[in-house]
Amino acid sequence: MAIILGVAIALGCMLGGFVHMGCKLETLLQPSEYIVLLGSAFGSFIVANPLAVMKDTGKALLQALKNDVPKEKQYIALLGVLYSLMREMRSKPSAEVERHVDDPKNSVIFQAHPAILKNTILLNFICDYCRLILMGNARSFEVEALMDEEIETLVRDWQKPYHALQTVADSLPALGIVAAVLGIINALSHINGSPEVLGESIGSALVGTFAGVFCSYGVFGPIAMQVKTVRYKRSRVFVVVKQTLLAYMNGAMPQVALEYGRKTISDLYRPSIAVVEQEAVVNKAPATA
């Protein structure tokens, strides 16, 4: 909820300073200016983005509001899955291990970690590359290039909501000028009126410029950046999988390969070696028949 708190602080300080200058808040209540500004911004958002991106933007906003990023618990679960799979690949025939990657929903390895099982994209990523390893003729540098390409594609798709919101943020100051110009046109239509009426009309028109700049740099821009940050953090689980499996392909023992993956986790959420040893290796590595 940091977004709500930040916007509330920005809005509160802006309105507080406005009142402290001796102005009245009613001056900013100009519905027509906000309709022109926000309506134009929403219309341009619809024009610029396909339906899939618009839906994903709503999803990304919810993730940003909740700061829905992988935490230490999720990383431990991921390392536990990878350790169990690598242990199976090292000690059992390929045909037995293939059952886990071909039908993960009925695999005791994945069933032990429901969060991984629910993340379809991550689940498929793990199974696809474990399947390549089991084929036996894949070379690690070729698999690494393929992983990099897939991760880059995923990140590019996941960042589309950020670009959509940032485009709206960039357009708001100009749209605020449009709203202000329309207000000035209205004010000039009353040029023969009293100075009070003319001044009120011009003041109302300038609200559009103010709202456009504030909404751009105080609301939409920061929200877009938060969406970008959250989506980037959510993509890091794929890097963990990549580094772990590549280390295993290059001859590292499963427990050592986990350390390659653990090191790619942000220090804020990175579990210690002792925690990984206890939770991912000892407690969360189910034995399979």
Side-chain angles (χ1 to χ4, degrees), residues 14-218:
M14 181 271 296
L15 294 176
F18 186 72
V19 171
H20 188 265
M21 287 187 289
C23 305
K24 298 180 179 179
L25 289 178
E26 305 90 79
T27 307
L28 300 179
L29 298 179
Q30 306 297 333
S32 57
E33 295 291 321
Y34 296 112
I35 290 173
V36 171
L37 174 69
L38 298 179
S40 299
F42 184 65
S44 64
F45 172 78
I46 293 175
V47 170
N49 299 286
L51 182 60
V53 174
M54 289 189 282
K55 290 181 178 179
D56 194 32
T57 300
K59 182 179 179 180
L61 286 172
L62 289 176
Q63 292 171 347
L65 284 171
K66 298 177 182 179
N67 192 31
D68 187 8
V69 299
K71 306 294 196 306
E72 181 177 331
K73 182 178 179 180
Q74 286 81 5
Y75 282 118
I76 291 174
L78 176 60
L79 293 173
V81 166
L82 295 174
Y83 176 77
S84 297
L85 287 171
M86 290 186 295
R87 187 183 63 173
E88 293 289 298
M89 289 188 290
R90 188 174 182 85
S91 62
K92 295 188 177 180
S94 298
E96 292 187 28
V97 185
E98 284 176 355
R99 293 180 301 174
H100 297 292
V101 296
D102 289 339
D103 188 15
K105 292 184 179 180
N106 294 317
S107 165
V108 294
I109 292 176
F110 290 101
Q111 288 175 349
H113 305 280
I116 304 297
L117 200 57
K118 291 179 182 178
N119 191 335
T120 305
I121 299 176
L122 178 60
L123 180 66
N124 291 336
F125 188 87
I126 294 172
C127 292
D128 288 347
Y129 289 103
C130 284
R131 194 176 292 111
L132 277 177
I133 295 173
L134 290 171
M135 289 178 182
N137 57 356
R139 291 176 287 188
S140 61
F141 69 89
E142 294 175 337
V143 174
E144 181 177 10
L146 185 58
M147 284 182 168
D148 287 338
E149 185 65 29
E150 183 170 357
I151 293 172
E152 182 181 345
T153 300
L154 287 171
V155 171
R156 184 168 58 247
D157 287 341
W158 286 355
Q159 292 298 345
K160 287 180 180 179
Y162 157 71
H163 293 295
L165 290 171
Q166 189 59 51
T167 299
V168 171
D170 292 340
S171 69
L172 280 169
L175 293 175
I177 294 175
V178 171
V181 169
L182 291 176
I184 293 296
I185 293 173
N186 177 63
L188 293 177
S189 68
H190 300 88
I191 193 67
N192 294 326
S194 65
E196 291 79 8
V197 172
L198 187 60
E200 182 178 349
S201 298
I202 294 174
S204 300
L206 293 177
V207 170
T209 302
F210 145 75
V213 174
F214 178 78
C215 288
S216 175
Y217 298 106

